[in-house]
Amino acid sequence: MARPGRQVALDAPRGRSGVLTRTPQPSRDRFGRATEWIARAMGTPWFLVGLTMFCVAWLAWNTLAAEDLRFDSAANGFTALTLMLSLQASYAAPLILLAQNRQDDRDRVQIEQDRQRAERNLADTEYLAREIVALRFALNDFAGEVVTRDVLRAELKSLLERLDDDADAAEEDRAP
């Protein structure tokens, strides 16, 4: 029974309420795709051009701007720029490794599928080769000689004539 003062929606499932509800977790695959995108982006010439432009702008601002507008001192060797680049590198390395691990997993699956496909192809080829050999043996046993195209054609013609004779005999038996 519904609690007083609360409207019950009958077209939606009841959810749990309280402290035990679980918050949705981000998808691991979404995170993996994001790391791959970042790793791919870091390996492009545009990223290098952008990073170079960022560093040039940083250095130009902190050497050419008025003294009170500068935020990184050239006297200290642009320490803030060094820290920013170190921070970027410390995040880039694990992201690139994550992307490589995902690619290794995909490669491993692809190699396994290729191996299975090659095994099936080999088994099919061996089966067909055995069947061809068996047909050759059967034809050699049937004729007692090496089967040539002419011998095979003659045998097929004689079989067709026998079938036609059997069909004619069956029609004569049915006729009143």
Side-chain angles (χ1 to χ4, degrees), residues 49-169:
V49 167
L51 188 60
T52 303
M53 296 302 290
F54 173 77
C55 291
V56 166
W58 185 292
L59 294 172
W61 180 267
N62 287 299
T63 52
L64 301 176
E67 191 70 38
D68 57 333
L69 295 177
R70 295 180 190 171
F71 53 87
D72 195 10
S73 172
N76 293 334
F78 297 107
T79 307
L81 178 62
T82 305
L83 290 173
M84 291 292 292
L85 293 176
S86 296
L87 180 68
Q88 183 268 334
S90 69
Y91 275 99
L95 290 176
I96 290 169
L97 289 174
L98 285 172
Q100 284 178 341
N101 287 342
R102 283 177 53 90
Q103 184 62 44
D104 288 345
D105 292 342
R106 277 195 301 274
D107 290 345
R108 195 174 302 116
V109 168
Q110 184 65 39
I111 288 169
E112 179 63 26
Q113 289 173 348
D114 289 346
R115 187 189 61 77
Q116 289 172 352
R117 191 176 305 114
E119 284 179 357
R120 283 193 306 268
N121 287 342
L122 180 64
D124 290 346
T125 304
E126 288 175 349
Y127 171 76
L128 290 173
R130 284 192 304 271
E131 287 296 313
I132 290 171
V133 168
L135 285 173
R136 282 185 182 165
F137 282 146
L139 287 174
N140 285 340
D141 289 345
F142 178 70
E145 59 185 60
V146 176
V147 178
T148 62
R149 191 179 321 161
D150 295 332
V151 172
L152 188 58
R153 212 177 266 145
E155 287 296 324
L156 288 174
K157 278 184 185 178
S158 69
L159 285 172
L160 282 174
E161 289 173 3
R162 266 195 260 155
L163 285 173
D164 286 340
D165 292 342
D166 289 344
D168 290 341

